Amino acid sequence: MLSVQEAESIILEQVPAPDEADIEAVSLEAASGRILAAPVTSDLDFPHWDNSAMDGYAVRHADLAGRPADLAIVEEIPAGSSPKKTLQPGQAARIFTGACLPEGADTVVMQEETQRNGDRVQILATPESGAFVRRRGSYYKAGDPLLPGGIALGAAEMAVLAAAQCLRVPVYRPLRVALLSTGNELVRPDRPLGPGQLVDSNQYGLAAWVQQMGAEPVRLGIIPDRPEALKSAIAKAILTADVVLSSGGVSVGEYDYIPKLLSELGGKIGVRSVAVKPGKPLTFATFPNCSYFGLPGNPVSALVTCWRFVGPALKKRSGLAESFWRPQWMQVRSRHELRSGGKRETYLWGKLRSVDGEIEFALAPGSQNSGNLINLAQTDALAVLPIGQTHVRAGESVRVLKVR
């Protein structure tokens, strides 16, 4: 049985990053939420020209030595128009936010610190030289890197691409993640339950999680615990998907066929079990064009192992930079007492919240076991107790992994 760190290292080393064949160019409108595949530059300076950050008057700072300075207004410059005149000594231009600074001006005086009298203005307070002037190229110089590759394109990044007039955007294609649930006891949610049967909740929970990760879930449904049916389904999945997630069939029972079938299909198994609770029977295998995760069948175990092990792997495979796909840990205060057996690295689920300006972890109410899917709802973090640690007192610090 591998340690969590050993399993994580094997998985993240063996899951490949995307290559050039995974890159596609999409329109700006279609790029939102995608992962940028290459650095972007622009041939525009930002700001494009010297402009005013304030409604007021563009002036020569040298003219403000006397107080109050009295200047002649020679033109008005609204945003979107081009200045017509060059300021001479003793002159000012009425200017509005975003408007181009006229030649000769080096400072803007906000209108609240002026008094206008017809075509003249008195400057009632002297700002520093260069006040309220956005200099051309002060935010970004044309030709410099604008956005790096390996980032997800959110609202701010989309606004930057639009401002840079980047109409075609290089992005990585979305991953295809095949999902299959194994077990003779499983039924679909729309079917009545017979004695000993269970609803296949994993297919729905995992599909939702895969979508949240920006990938495309491919649902293959419920596969019975028959070697020939499982082998056929797995063979189809590894040929059509980048990643396969199966749930169930990876423990040591007589009907747990997955590891043996993966080997028969040519898979290289890197992980068979992990010293973690929940999620011990985790299987990871690689094929030439596909990574395979055999998840435990218990719904809590399936999601916890996805959050802990599969999530970073999907992020790496999707093209995110390493700083984004490595697990992000936090050290916070625990609101409740936490306990574990100490023999395996233990994950307890709950919520993060701010209390008196400090982040704390609140344990989900109810039993913390792999069969209790109900109290997993609305949780957003996992607290970890390493091997050998059996107790965290309420109020003490605990390491947590944010999962939403």
Side-chain angles (χ1 to χ4, degrees):
M1 184 166 21
L2 299 175
S3 71
V4 169
Q5 289 68 33
E6 289 171 329
E8 177 186 64
S9 178
I10 290 170
I11 291 168
L12 293 180
E13 285 177 4
Q14 295 186 7
V15 167
D19 56 28
E20 290 188 5
D22 296 312
I23 298 174
E24 59 186 15
V26 300
S27 68
L28 176 61
E29 291 78 7
S32 179
R34 303 290 293 275
I35 297 172
L36 193 61
V40 172
T41 61
S42 175
D43 56 6
L44 298 173
D45 288 325
F46 288 85
H48 308 319
W49 45 75
D50 293 351
N51 71 88
S52 176
M54 191 71 63
D55 290 349
Y57 293 87
V59 301
R60 293 159 34 94
H61 194 266
D63 289 337
L64 306 183
R67 187 180 294 183
D70 185 74
L71 306 175
I73 302 170
V74 296
E75 73 171 322
E76 182 171 288
I77 312 170
S81 67
S82 179
K84 303 296 191 296
K85 297 183 178 180
T86 298
L87 288 194
Q88 303 299 324
Q91 294 181 340
R94 178 71 168 118
I95 197 166
F96 296 89
T97 303
C100 295
L101 203 70
E103 290 289 330
D106 59 12
T107 301
V108 172
V109 182
M110 60 191 302
Q111 66 184 34
E112 291 86 349
E113 295 179 346
T114 67
Q115 182 175 325
R116 181 167 182 168
N117 298 299
D119 60 357
R120 301 193 69 82
V121 62
Q122 283 190 329
I123 309 301
L124 305 178
T126 302
E128 295 182 358
S129 178
F132 304 118
V133 174
R134 302 169 180 146
R135 290 296 179 187
R136 176 175 179 169
S138 61
Y139 304 160
Y140 169 82
K141 292 286 188 184
D144 288 347
L146 182 63
L147 292 175
I151 63 171
L153 297 175
E157 294 76 21
M158 288 295 295
V160 167
L161 290 172
Q165 298 181 319
C166 183
L167 303 182
R168 299 291 292 174
V169 185
V171 295
Y172 290 113
R173 64 175 179 82
L175 296 182
R176 286 173 54 85
V177 180
L179 306 172
L180 55 96
S181 302
T182 72
N184 295 329
E185 75 279 15
L186 298 178
V187 297
R188 297 193 329 232
D190 60 344
R191 298 294 176 87
L193 285 174
Q197 291 187 317
L198 297 171
V199 173
D200 176 21
S201 61
N202 283 340
Q203 191 87 190
Y204 296 84
L206 295 177
W209 178 74
V210 166
Q211 286 180 314
Q212 291 169 1
M213 296 291 291
E216 176 190 351
V218 181
R219 302 188 191 193
L220 300 182
I222 299 169
I223 312 300
D225 285 324
R226 297 198 306 271
E228 64 278 8
L230 283 169
K231 189 171 185 178
S232 175
I234 293 171
K236 175 183 176 182
I238 61 178
L239 289 177
T240 58
D242 303 293
V243 177
V244 179
L245 304 182
S246 67
S247 59
V250 291
S251 191
V252 293
E254 294 181 3
Y255 295 95
D256 294 318
Y257 302 116
I258 298 294
K260 180 175 183 294
L261 295 176
L262 293 176
S263 295
E264 290 179 2
L265 289 166
K268 179 182 177 182
I269 297 181
V271 176
R272 291 182 182 270
S273 65
V274 185
V276 65
K277 182 180 180 180
K280 175 184 172 183
L282 170 67
T283 297
F284 169 71
T286 55
F287 293 87
N289 297 302
C290 180
S291 300
Y292 191 103
F293 291 88
L295 309 176
N298 281 326
V300 172
S301 299
L303 280 172
V304 169
T305 51
C306 277
W307 289 335
R308 182 61 184 89
F309 298 105
V310 186
L314 282 188
K315 291 177 181 178
K316 178 184 177 182
R317 181 66 183 86
S318 68
L320 282 170
E322 183 171 353
S323 59
F324 295 108
W325 55 254
R326 288 286 180 187
Q328 303 295 310
W329 295 96
M330 303 170 61
Q331 201 74 25
V332 303
R333 179 179 64 195
S334 178
R335 180 175 178 81
H336 299 107
E337 182 180 58
L338 308 177
R339 290 190 176 275
S340 81
K343 295 182 179 180
R344 288 182 278 161
E345 186 163 298
T346 300
Y347 290 83
L348 304 171
W349 48 98
K351 288 185 179 181
L352 293 175
R353 59 185 187 178
S354 178
V355 178
D356 298 328
E358 185 175 356
I359 302 297
E360 71 174 24
F361 172 81
L363 191 67
S367 61
Q368 293 260 328
N369 67 69
S370 59
N372 185 9
L373 176 62
I374 304 305
N375 74 342
L376 195 67
Q378 301 183 66
T379 61
D380 62 8
L382 297 173
V384 57
L385 275 66
I387 293 174
Q389 183 177 12
T390 61
H391 187 213
V392 172
R393 295 183 180 88
E396 289 185 338
S397 178
V398 66
R399 192 172 182 233
V400 302
L401 177 67
K402 190 171 182 181
V403 300
R404 292 192 191 180

